[in-house]
Amino acid sequence: MSHPPLPLLHPRGECAINAAPTSSAPARPDAPAVELRGITKRFPGVVANHDIHLTVRRGTVHALCGENGAGKSTLMKILYGMQKPDEGTIALDGTETALNTPGDAIARGIGMVHQHFMLADNLTVLENTVLGAEKLHGIGGRARTKIMEISDAYGLGIRPDVLVEDLGVADRQRVEILKVLYRGARTLILDEPTAVLVPQEVDALFANLRELKSEGLTVLFISHKLGEVLSVADDITVIRRGTTVASVAPDDTTPQQLAELMVGSELPSPETRESTVTDEPMLQVDGLHLSATDSDGAVRTVLDGIGLTIHKGEVLGVAGVEGNGQAELVEAIMGTRTPDRGTVTLDGADLSGTSTRRRREGGIGYVPEDRHRHGLLLEAPLWENRILGHVTERPNSKGKLLDPAGARKDTARIVEEYDVRTPGIEVTAASLSGGNQQKLIVGREMSHRPKLLIAAHPTRGVDVGAQAQIWEQIRTARREGLAVLLISADLDELIGLSDTLRVMYRGRLVADADPAVITPEELGSAMTGAASGHLTADGDADTGRPASGDTEPTGGDQA
């Protein structure tokens, strides 16, 4: 459905704060929306961008692909005014300009939706949208009207008065898009926008992007999911090791060819062909219940009678739309949340009521969902991050004392063995790209030869090269008897790596799935509460295998 184009929402006289100095030449209607010429950006010890050229046609979806550390994020930060290039020029709509701050970029119609959403959960959609932009349309009726106009025009389906904490991840992403449109963006930068979406939500997002494009807006789409890139992009630019290596049309390339341009190798597959599952239980969770109190004081059940068993050599995948209890399940197993009742047993030892440190020492490795908040100290050097979670274990300690020399030596080993690309182990974790941060975490956890690995979104936001390395590390350890609890929004990853699949919905394990036959679309439907032909509710899978846990969920408990 077509709508009349919305007017720019940032008239110069009202909100062009810190406006960038621009050429007096008028914009050419046929000029590219964005043109970067010869962009170079250096940091101490590394050249992040070298002589990058990028041309983005107005009214298109332009995909930017490349490994983690290839320079994509730095380039987009330059375009959004967060970094200044050492060399090169930026032209917007044919007019050369300088973007010294994000305010400059916003004033020139550029908006950025970051991979990690920047929303306040305790505020409404309206309050999040107008925060920092109160001068545009106030904070009341005019703002609400404008939000609804934008939402209706681009098919976003936004309700202004809903609390953000009550929204699912796909709706939160639409709120982020709404925020930049509200500020007058005509060029949108989307950083890994599908990382946390199920297939049906991806389809809805792409429909939104096509609506934006039909109204003349431009989208820069950063992604590692090459199949999605080919389905939504009009043009594709590939960056490798800080410079542009190719610009291609989707019709003229394949995922395999794109992967080779990005990393010099074929597209990896998570598929695990041989079974290594034993009959020896490693993790047993029985009757796990957990309640939580909402901001309005209401008590709700977030884990409702969870029971599961993971055997040595088995990867058990848990599928579910975020917010259905997966994070709380991990926290209950790790001991960072105390369940109302239920037991957690590791290799025959009852860990219920023990500390997270005791569980770590008992053999649980942990790759957290949010590496920045729970996996790293961003301003600490790599060797100190090597110690996190394992402070009492060698080589990080000798007796009761830390052993910095041992930690440094082992960090250097992890950097080499796991291909963590860094100038050295003394640099901060914040200086690494997301993929290299993730490889450091995986290397740290696998170095202690855990009995159980809890891997929450282990390849979220990493490129195909890092993804392949992490998958291979999991497969190798699985062959050696490692039990893995895998939680991921990447359904191909879940299906490919898992020996057993269970679906989590509203705090319950509601169905089993056979990874050998289920499709991502069927699994995505089950995650939203719909039925699927290859799923069996609450128990025996259609392959005849017993369910992974023998504790039946019970309804409605609010302890």
Side-chain angles (χ1 to χ4, degrees):
M1 181 177 178
S2 180
H3 306 274
L6 289 177
L8 288 179
L9 303 177
H10 57 283
R12 289 286 177 184
E14 189 171 15
C15 68
I17 302 170
N18 297 322
T22 62
S23 166
S24 59
R28 303 195 317 269
D30 60 340
V34 175
E35 194 169 9
L36 306 180
R37 311 183 193 103
I39 297 294
T40 296
K41 179 64 180 178
R42 304 178 185 88
F43 297 99
V46 63
V47 179
N49 295 152
H50 174 65
D51 195 29
I52 285 186
H53 294 263
L54 176 68
T55 300
V56 181
R57 296 182 293 136
R58 170 64 60 196
T60 64
V61 175
H62 192 114
L64 191 63
C65 301
E67 289 185 276
N68 288 111
K72 305 184 306 300
S73 294
T74 298
L75 189 66
M76 292 302 97
K77 287 177 181 178
I78 288 172
L79 180 57
Y80 194 54
M82 299 172 69
Q83 300 277 0
K84 295 181 182 180
D86 297 318
E87 299 172 16
T89 60
I90 300 171
L92 303 178
D93 296 315
T95 302
E96 189 173 311
T97 187
L99 302 174
N100 298 314
T101 69
D104 294 345
I106 292 168
R108 291 300 310 271
I110 296 175
M112 186 167 182
V113 176
H114 298 271
Q115 182 179 350
H116 299 280
F117 299 155
M118 297 182 179
L119 298 171
D121 285 357
N122 61 333
L123 299 181
T124 65
V125 169
L126 185 149
E127 290 164 341
N128 271 278
T129 302
V130 303
L131 191 63
E134 295 87 351
K135 292 183 178 180
L136 286 176
H137 306 286
I139 59 174
R142 284 199 305 136
R144 180 177 284 100
T145 299
K146 183 56 66 176
I147 287 171
M148 293 306 300
E149 285 179 4
I150 297 171
S151 176
D152 293 344
Y154 297 110
L156 297 176
I158 298 297
R159 293 171 295 161
D161 298 314
V162 175
L163 278 177
V164 165
E165 68 180 6
D166 294 330
L167 296 178
V169 64
D171 285 329
R172 292 182 185 220
Q173 187 177 72
R174 293 186 187 99
V175 174
E176 289 281 20
I177 293 173
L178 175 76
K179 280 173 57 180
V180 298
L181 292 175
Y182 185 85
R183 286 157 173 76
R186 303 293 293 177
T187 296
L188 282 69
I189 304 169
L190 304 184
D191 188 4
E192 295 290 344
T194 66
V196 294
L197 304 182
V198 300
Q200 290 82 356
E201 292 170 335
V202 172
D203 292 341
L205 171 65
F206 287 177
N208 292 145
L209 297 188
R210 293 184 183 102
E211 188 69 26
L212 294 172
K213 185 175 72 171
S214 72
E215 300 294 348
L217 275 70
T218 305
V219 178
L220 266 162
F221 181 89
I222 304 171
S223 180
H224 298 106
K225 298 183 179 182
L226 303 185
E228 293 177 357
V229 165
L230 291 173
S231 71
V232 75
D234 299 293
D235 303 294
I236 304 170
T237 295
V238 181
I239 297 178
R240 186 168 66 205
R241 298 190 181 276
T243 193
T244 43
V245 295
S247 292
V248 296
D251 292 342
D252 298 333
T253 190
T254 66
Q256 290 74 19
Q257 291 169 333
L258 275 182
E260 189 167 347
L261 285 170
M262 287 169 55
V263 299
S265 60
E266 294 184 359
L267 187 69
S269 168
E271 185 176 351
T272 300
R273 291 181 176 83
E274 77 286 358
S275 175
T276 61
V277 182
T278 71
D279 58 1
E280 299 179 61
M282 177 53 68
L283 176 73
Q284 291 178 286
V285 175
D286 293 302
L288 210 60
H289 287 256
L290 176 67
S291 57
T293 303
D294 291 334
S295 57
D296 59 1
V299 177
R300 63 186 176 92
T301 299
V302 291
L303 295 179
D304 189 1
I306 297 293
L308 58 84
T309 298
I310 309 178
H311 300 82
K312 292 182 180 179
E314 178 181 19
V315 177
L316 186 148
V318 175
V321 176
E322 288 197 23
N324 276 273
Q326 305 95 306
E328 290 82 0
L329 173 62
V330 168
E331 291 167 354
I333 295 172
M334 287 299 301
T336 56
R337 278 209 190 201
T338 302
D340 305 320
R341 60 182 181 272
T343 60
V344 176
T345 304
L346 181 70
D347 200 15
D350 188 354
L351 298 180
S352 308
T354 62
S355 66
T356 299
R357 173 175 162 179
R358 171 68 186 88
R359 299 180 195 215
R360 286 285 214 167
E361 293 172 342
I364 299 181
Y366 180 37
V367 178
E369 174 181 350
D370 189 331
R371 55 180 169 258
H372 288 174
R373 293 179 61 195
H374 303 301
L376 297 167
L377 295 174
L378 292 175
E379 299 308 317
L382 301 191
W383 70 268
E384 289 186 11
N385 278 279
R386 162 68 184 92
I387 297 173
L388 290 182
H390 303 280
V391 67
T392 62
E393 302 171 65
R394 296 184 64 85
N396 301 323
S397 63
K398 287 183 178 179
K400 296 182 178 180
L401 300 177
L402 286 177
D403 183 4
R408 282 186 170 93
K409 181 178 179 180
D410 201 60
T411 304
R413 176 194 62 80
I414 291 173
V415 164
E416 180 176 358
E417 185 175 328
Y418 287 81
D419 190 29
V420 181
R421 298 180 186 179
T422 172
I425 65 171
E426 299 293 339
V427 304
T428 65
S431 69
L432 300 185
S433 68
N436 286 305
Q437 290 174 349
Q438 195 75 355
K439 286 188 285 185
L440 177 69
I441 292 172
V442 172
R444 176 184 71 200
E445 298 306 310
M446 300 298 284
S447 292
H448 291 274
R449 300 187 65 82
K451 298 176 181 179
L452 167 74
L453 178 67
I454 298 177
H457 307 278
T459 62
R460 173 179 286 174
V462 308
D463 60 71
V464 291
Q467 190 177 55
Q469 289 175 306
I470 292 170
W471 286 342
E472 187 54 36
Q473 291 292 339
I474 291 174
R475 283 190 289 248
T476 298
R478 167 182 169 272
R479 287 193 293 268
E480 296 171 356
L482 177 70
V484 180
L485 174 62
L486 174 65
I487 295 171
S488 177
D490 185 333
L491 302 191
D492 289 322
E493 177 175 78
L494 270 178
I495 293 169
L497 285 181
S498 297
D499 298 289
T500 308
L501 270 174
R502 306 200 70 184
V503 178
M504 196 163 190
Y505 183 67
R506 294 183 179 176
R508 304 177 68 204
L509 294 174
V510 297
D512 289 358
D514 183 357
V517 296
I518 196 160
T519 67
E521 290 72 23
E522 290 168 336
L523 190 57
S525 294
M527 289 161 59
T528 59
S532 171
H534 297 297
L535 292 165
T536 302
D538 293 330
D540 299 329
D542 58 7
T543 58
R545 294 200 302 260
S548 296
D550 53 10
T551 301
E552 288 293 325
T554 58
D557 271 7
Q558 290 187 350

